Amino acid sequence: MKIEIWSDYVCPFCYIGKKQLEKAIEDTGYGGQVELVYKSYQLDPTTPVDSNTTVYESLAKKYGMSIEKAKEMTLGVTERAKEVGLNYDFSNLMEENTLKAHRLVKWAEQQGDVTALVETLLHSHFIEGKRIGQEAVLLEIAEQVGLQRDEVAKVIANDYYKNEVEADIQEGLQLGVRGVPFFVLNRKYGISGAQPQEVFEETLRKVAEEEGLQPKLKMAGSGDTGVCTDDSCNF
């Protein structure tokens, strides 16, 4: 099955939803039978590239509240993140323009699997507090996942793949994406937001049934104790 994921790298629920989807795929036994396609979406394309505004300051301004209220606002998200094994630290986060990050991912898709790159971008922002809107940080992340620094520098320094990013956003809007994360399964079912875990699992099973997919066996016990093969027996 094919799952398209519209998300932004500064969206806290996008990272949570990603982890939920991955766990659902593992728990339902459909690992290796799912193609994940990452689609671009920008929550605020007007964010300055050189912004020095903290996330708390950004939230306070956006919702017309105090910094203290903004801090309280993030507590629930932090607890939700812990449920999927993520330790968010909003006190280290700055607002970021994610266009360069999205352009980098669209280019990297042409080179191969972008799973590691997407994960590292999200981890770098939410866990390490890195400035993923900055060129130097993106170069560091690209090298970390095995991409060629010189090629990445060319992509980031120019407007390469900007049209592809915009095409993703427009495609999402046509499908009804008005917020992220948004998951589209086989262009038939949509999941909006980091829904309860059972929603992901039930939808995966529904699509798998329609496609005639069989889950992998879940092995009980430990190792291959008491097994004979053509060559030998493991006593």
Side-chain angles (χ1 to χ4, degrees), residues 12-32:
F13 286 109
C14 289
Y15 202 6
I16 293 170
K18 177 178 180 293
K19 291 299 184 183
Q20 288 183 283
L21 175 62
E22 291 169 348
K23 186 175 188 303
I25 292 171
E26 179 184 352
D27 288 353
T28 54
Y30 295 110

Side-chain angles (χ1 to χ4, degrees), residues 5-7 38-42 102 106 164-165 168-169:
I5 307 166
W6 272 265
S7 62
Y38 295 95
K39 297 286 191 175
S40 303
Y41 190 95
Q42 279 195 282
H102 282 296
K106 300 312 293 182
E164 285 79 356
V165 171
D168 275 359
I169 294 171

Side-chain angles (χ1 to χ4, degrees), residues 91-110:
S91 65
N92 286 328
L93 299 189
M94 307 291 287
E95 67 173 12
E96 304 285 349
N97 185 301
T98 56
L99 178 58
K100 289 180 180 178
H102 282 296
R103 290 198 293 107
L104 172 59
V105 173
K106 300 312 293 182
W107 169 79
E109 283 179 344
Q110 309 304 312

